[in-house]
Amino acid sequence: MTALLSFAAATVCAQPVVEVRDVRDPELKPYATMVKGLDAFDAEHARAPQATLRFLLRPATRAEGLDGLELKVSGDLVTLPVPLDAEGGFVLPRSAAALQDRAELVLNKKRNSFRWRPDVRSPGVAAGTRRLGDLRLQCAVQWAIEREALTPRARGALSATGGPCHSPLMHMGFEAEAPLKGAWLHEGARRERIPVNRHLNRTFNPPLADRAWSDEAVVEFEPAD
């Protein structure tokens, strides 16, 4: 997302709408930076009061897999193993000692071989759908982490518009679990089609900044044939 945000900051004045594509490509950050995502989750938890936050690891290439993958928070004095589930998901622990030790998140794989993204889910949401409040909260977590890697100029340009989670000038992309033919946002009697990226057909762009849709609105997916 770092490169995408930098691109967005450079072009936001030149184009009416900037698409920030799916956040699938950042490397793991220093522990202190990742904790900013936990802070953002706590600060905006009201959007999804029952939701939980985990992070997902994904191989960067087909040559990599999850078998044997290990993750830890590691510093000079602190080492904390971080359990991974079968999907490559993990819950990041809070540790004052790891912050003081300036710890890093370390994988037992070579650099650039895995990517990560946050995943916010409320219980009771039907399969094949996503709750809009969960997506807004997930965006807040991602932005809190990724903004630290931007230059002050790029960070200021994005923040001036409200950032990718609050600006109508940007469309944040999210990844569906399967290729999509279409996607709709549904709340009560209202149902509207939302953009699906035609090149990355798993990526959909909900209107995070449109307050006419409440956090209870639901994105419904139509799988590709």
Side-chain angles (χ1 to χ4, degrees):
M1 183 178 181
T2 299
L4 294 170
L5 284 177
S6 298
F7 172 78
T11 58
V12 68
C13 295
Q15 299 181 10
V17 174
V18 173
E19 178 182 346
V20 183
R21 291 184 181 178
D22 175 62
V23 181
R24 295 176 298 171
D25 59 348
E27 290 188 74
L28 288 167
K29 307 294 183 182
Y31 177 73
T33 302
M34 296 293 291
V35 167
K36 292 183 182 296
L38 304 185
D39 294 339
F41 180 79
D42 290 345
E44 299 201 32
H45 203 183
R47 295 194 179 282
Q50 305 302 317
T52 56
L53 167 65
R54 65 173 181 162
F55 296 91
L56 293 172
L57 292 171
R58 290 290 180 263
T61 68
R62 293 182 179 180
E64 294 289 350
L66 296 174
D67 290 345
L69 187 64
E70 295 179 0
L71 175 66
K72 62 184 177 180
V73 176
S74 180
D76 293 334
L77 303 174
V78 173
T79 299
L80 299 174
V82 181
L84 297 174
D85 62 29
E87 297 177 315
F90 66 93
V91 176
L92 187 67
R94 284 189 179 272
S95 169
L99 286 174
Q100 187 174 4
D101 199 22
R102 297 183 179 181
E104 303 278 338
L105 269 73
V106 178
L107 286 170
N108 62 334
K109 299 285 185 177
K110 64 182 181 180
R111 188 173 177 84
N112 297 321
S113 59
F114 277 81
R115 311 302 187 193
W116 67 275
R117 63 179 172 87
D119 188 59
V120 173
R121 304 276 178 163
S122 290
V125 178
T129 67
R130 292 294 307 271
R131 182 178 174 276
L132 187 60
D134 292 4
L135 297 173
R136 284 169 169 160
L137 184 51
Q138 185 170 312
C139 182
V141 172
Q142 186 74 48
W143 171 234
I145 295 170
E146 286 304 312
R147 72 188 302 275
E148 298 300 309
L150 300 180
T151 66
R153 181 178 179 181
R155 191 183 308 153
L158 283 168
S159 296
T161 66
C165 308
H166 300 285
S167 173
L169 299 177
M170 299 179 211
H171 290 168
M172 174 63 73
F174 294 85
E175 183 182 9
E177 295 178 359
L180 298 176
K181 182 177 181 180
W184 287 262
L185 191 57
H186 180 212
E187 184 173 26
R190 185 182 180 193
R191 190 170 187 262
E192 293 183 7
R193 183 182 288 272
I194 61 175
V196 171
N197 187 286
R198 60 186 178 184
H199 301 296
L200 302 171
N201 63 353
R202 287 175 179 260
T203 304
F204 62 98
N205 301 96
L208 301 181
D210 187 348
R211 300 307 165 190
W213 296 96
S214 80
D215 289 334
E216 299 301 328
V218 174
V219 179
E220 300 172 340
F221 302 125
E222 180 183 0
D225 296 333

